[in-house]
Structure formats: structure tokens, C-alpha cells
Amino acid sequence: MKVQNRTFIISGGASGLGKGSALELVQAGGYVALLDRVDPEVGQAVEKELGSSAKFFHCDVLDTESIAKAVQGAVDWASKTGKPLGGVIPAAGVNLPAAILNSKGQTVSLEDVDFVIGVNVRGTIDLVRQSAVHLAKVEPEGPDGERGVVILVSSSSAYDGQYGQVVYGATKGAVASMALPMARDLARYGIRVVAIAPNLFVTGMSSLMSEKAWKSISQTFLFPNRAGNPPEFSMLVKHIIENPMLNGTVIRLDGGSRLAKI
Ligand SMILES: NC(=O)c1ccc[n+]([C@@H]2O[C@H](COP(=O)([O-])OP(=O)(O)OC[C@H]3O[C@@H](n4cnc5c(N)ncnc54)[C@H](O)[C@@H]3O)[C@@H](O)[C@H]2O)c1
């Protein structure tokens, strides 16, 4: 599917991998609806930075009504600009590292469990669910009759979660596991689904990591010997949109890294 003149809904679009993807798609002639829970001033500043092909919609993916409002806003904007929806990238995600039982004998809080599952799993499904209703009505494009692409954001933690990543790893495993059934469900509408499983990328989320964890993960990269940068994620996003044969799969984007215990 062509990126040009299509509108992509991106949650977590105000920062990191979501924002990087938005920039790439705008540079390729696409339009981006940035859904994020950040303060409106922050979201509007990102909108301004990306230019007139970007629009910020305040949205908390934990709140289904908030998603409904933002998705409707994106649909109305797409209709106003005449650039139909082309896909959705649920990149909003959170991580609250905690061991199931730590060295002090404390267990992970269930409040944190619900929060991380709520954003990373329920929020992802809810955003795709509500966006798919509109994507399914888009005029099909090209000889394959393609209507859209869903790009899920999993993680290396889905495969080799480290100490303290029981909950985060479980949510990212869930995201990886939903790529194929979601692709099967949406195939009849000409909508593809692909998940990307990145290792460490330089973003707002990774900046919160301890120096010890950062150092440990950085050492696991085979080549190049460093963490990834958002443009290296977003060039894959663009390729997934453009390559119709990518569907129902998870692509590891990790410089050959396999996470160590910690
Ligand atoms: N950075 C990494 O090393 C890395 C590695 C693997 C996977 N990921 C995944 O990539 C995705 C993007 O993360 P990032 O690294 O760009 O982090 P980031 O913190 O820079 O960006 C995440 C964005 O999501 C938004 N967000 C969080 N909760 C939200 C909610 N409830 N509703 C709406 N927006 C919400 C935040 O406000 C933020 O703008 C996440 O799903 C993360 O798990 C990141």
C-alpha cells in the first residue's frame, strides 16, 4: 500500500518510536493522527514540529471512550483532508519493571499488573478494534484491493524477558501472539497485520532504564554494537506498509541481540 495521501493513526505518537514513525510517514507524503495521553501543549508542539500533515488527538488508550473520540476525530480529519485511512500503529506502551518476588520478598503490585496489561494489551486491541471499523470501509487500493495495515509493537522481551519483566514480557508476548489471528480476522477486509519486536531503542521509555540495565542490554547486540534509533524502526514501518507480502508475522528488529538475564 502507498504511504502517500493516506492517513495513519499512531498511538504513542508524541514520543519515541511512535513519533519516529509519524515523521517517516509524513516525509513519505502520508498523514498522521497522533494519539497520545501527553499534555495537549506537548502533543500540539509535536503536531507543529511535523507540519500540516500531522494532527494531535488527546487520547488515553486505557479509556475506551477516549479512543472512540480520538479515532472519530482522526476519521473526520481524514475526510476533511481527503486522505483516507491507511492503517493504525498502536505504539503506546508502558513498562513498570518488577520481579514477581524480589530480593526483599516483595511481590509485584496487582495495580501495576493491571496498568501495564491495560495499556499494552487491552489498549492495543481496543485501538485496533475501533480503527478497523473505519479501515474496513475505505475504498480498496490497487490490484489486491488493499485497505490498510496494522503495525503492532511487541518487544525482544516477548522472547527473552529479563529479570523484572514478567508483566511487560507477558504483554509483549501477547502482542506478538495477536499478529497472526488478527491478520486472519482482517484478511477479508484487505487489511494486513505485522508486529515488530524491537530490542533496545533510544526513546523516552528506554531513558528511564537504570545504567546497569542499559549497559547489560547494549552488550548483547551483535552488530551494530549499539541500541537502535527511532529512524531505524520507522524505516521498517514504512517498508511493512509498502510490501503487501508481509502479513501475520513478527519481525525482530534487534541487531542480532538476545537479552541476557539482566
Ligand atoms: N524503546 C525501546 O527500547 C523499546 C523496545 C521494545 C519495545 N518498545 C515498545 O515501543 C513502544 C513505544 O515505546 P517508546 O520506546 O517509543 O516509548 P516512549 O515512552 O518514548 O513513547 C511511548 C508513548 O506512549 C504514550 N502512552 C503511554 N501510555 C499511554 C496511554 N495510556 N494512552 C496513550 N498514550 C500513551 C506516552 O505518552 C509516550 O508518548 C512501546 O509499546 C514499547 O513497549 C520500546
Side-chain angles (χ1 to χ4, degrees):
M1 133 164 301
K2 289 193 193 77
V3 169
Q4 208 174 17
N5 295 326
R6 301 297 292 250
T7 300
F8 297 86
I9 295 175
I10 307 177
S11 73
S15 175
L17 302 181
K19 183 181 170 188
S21 302
L23 180 63
E24 178 91 23
L25 299 183
V26 163
Q27 283 170 346
Y31 285 65
V32 290
L34 310 166
L35 276 55
D36 206 297
R37 68 167 179 193
V38 289
D39 290 342
E41 308 81 69
V42 175
Q44 276 145 18
V46 177
E47 174 186 307
K48 202 167 163 203
E49 189 185 330
L50 295 184
S52 58
S53 310
K55 193 152 181 65
F56 172 71
F57 298 90
H58 191 266
C59 172
D60 184 343
V61 300
L62 284 171
D63 175 358
T64 194
E65 287 305 319
S66 170
I67 296 180
K69 214 169 138 201
V71 168
Q72 191 57 55
V75 169
D76 292 346
W77 179 56
S79 141
K80 210 163 128 193
T81 58
K83 317 293 177 190
L85 287 187
V88 55
I89 307 173
V94 290
N95 182 11
L96 294 177
I100 191 97
L101 182 67
N102 70 16
S103 58
K104 294 179 187 138
Q106 297 158 331
T107 61
V108 60
S109 107
L110 283 183
E111 205 179 309
D112 288 0
V113 171
D114 289 342
F115 175 67
V116 176
I117 293 176
V119 175
N120 295 1
V121 181
R122 186 182 191 267
T124 292
I125 292 174
D126 199 1
L127 178 62
V128 175
R129 182 181 78 93
Q130 298 201 44
S131 304
V133 173
H134 299 282
L135 272 177
K137 294 180 192 151
V138 165
E139 196 61 38
E141 176 190 290
D144 299 317
E146 194 167 16
R147 287 197 170 87
V149 187
V150 178
I151 303 180
L152 303 169
V153 187
S154 177
S155 165
S156 292
S157 309
Y159 303 97
D160 24 77
Q162 298 183 290
Y163 178 86
Q165 289 190 337
V166 169
V167 181
Y168 182 72
T171 64
K172 293 301 172 176
V175 170
S177 294
M178 69 178 77
L180 181 60
M182 202 182 270
R184 287 175 167 163
D185 288 353
L186 296 176
R188 71 175 75 237
Y189 297 105
I191 300 170
R192 292 181 290 116
V193 183
V194 175
I196 303 176
N199 199 314
L200 185 62
F201 271 68
V202 182
T203 66
M205 180 185 277
S206 57
S207 71
L208 301 175
M209 277 171 51
S210 70
E211 203 179 319
K212 187 178 170 196
W214 182 278
K215 209 169 154 196
S216 144
I217 299 179
S218 305
Q219 282 166 356
T220 65
F221 283 80
L222 295 182
F223 185 88
N225 192 16
R226 60 169 173 81
N229 292 305
E232 292 157 342
F233 177 88
S234 52
M235 68 171 87
L236 180 57
V237 165
K238 180 167 171 278
H239 182 76
I240 291 169
I241 293 167
E242 290 173 342
N243 190 332
M245 289 311 287
L246 279 170
N247 198 8
T249 195
V250 186
I251 301 172
R252 293 188 73 143
L253 189 66
D254 56 18
S257 159
R258 295 294 178 266
L259 291 170
K261 188 166 69 174
I262 188 162

